[in-house]
Amino acid sequence: MMQVMIRLALHLLALSPFAYYLYAALNQTLGADPQEVLLHGFAIWALRFLLLSLAVSPARRLFKANYLIRYRRMLGLYFFFYLCLHLLVYLWFFLGWQWVTIGEEIVERPYITIGMLAFLLTIPLVVTSTKGMQRRLRQTWSKLHKLVYPIAILSIIHFIWQSKADLNEPFVYLIILMFLLSFRIRPYLAKLRA
């Protein structure tokens, strides 16, 4: 029962940014440039959920809290949910579903190319996120899901490149990512030294 309550609370918390943006959009309180607010807001929440999912393993080790692993998949799926919303806002409000323009944007703007690549790499992780797929793929599943690291790096590059003038916010997320990746790199460095 307690687990169900925790999961419900986490789902409500994870959906609260979406509920806020939906409410604000319907009430026209997103400011002078609502499309930009939605685009940036959904992108930031996607990145936050991605970093939270990466933080699960280090937190589990540091605090000896094995139960945290139960919530990693949920965090990863919310990353994909907000990523899809970010992409939807861009395609709908900024490009008006003009497929020729979409192709040109992907080719001509490197930060869009990087963002699209990160999105495409995320799809196989979502498709194989179920326990059934984990059982079927076995060791391949673990290797496939290491794609989350290049996805995170590409996401930060996308954020930095499109930020142009103000780089303070993307660099905060870059530092957080570097800190989280250091937990993965340390064991490899220890093996190399040995």
Side-chain angles (χ1 to χ4, degrees), residues 11 15 20 31-32 48 98 118 122 146 149 157 159 162-163 173:
H11 280 299
L15 287 168
Y20 163 75
R48 286 172 182 167
Q98 298 294 317
T122 306
K146 283 189 169 72
Y149 304 113
I157 293 168
F159 192 8
Q162 68 83 40
S163 292
Y173 288 100

Side-chain angles (χ1 to χ4, degrees), residues 24-47:
L26 291 172
N27 288 280
Q28 299 180 347
T29 56
L30 286 171
D33 196 353
Q35 293 96 333
E36 189 62 43
V37 172
L38 289 173
L39 186 75
H40 182 71
F42 290 141
I44 287 297
W45 280 103
L47 186 55

Side-chain angles (χ1 to χ4, degrees), residues 94-145:
F94 288 82
L95 299 183
W97 300 105
Q98 298 294 317
W99 295 107
V100 174
T101 311
I102 292 164
E104 287 170 359
E105 288 280 298
I106 292 168
V107 172
E108 291 172 11
R109 296 178 190 255
Y111 74 91
I112 302 287
T113 312
I114 293 286
M116 263 323 218
L117 181 58
F119 175 75
L120 292 172
L121 288 174
T122 306
I123 293 168
L125 302 193
V126 173
V127 171
T128 60
S129 66
T130 63
K131 286 180 181 176
M133 289 300 286
Q134 192 173 356
R135 278 194 301 272
R136 276 186 220 119
L137 294 172
R138 295 182 189 171
Q139 289 180 345
T140 310
W141 186 90
S142 182
K143 288 174 186 172
L144 177 66
H145 280 252

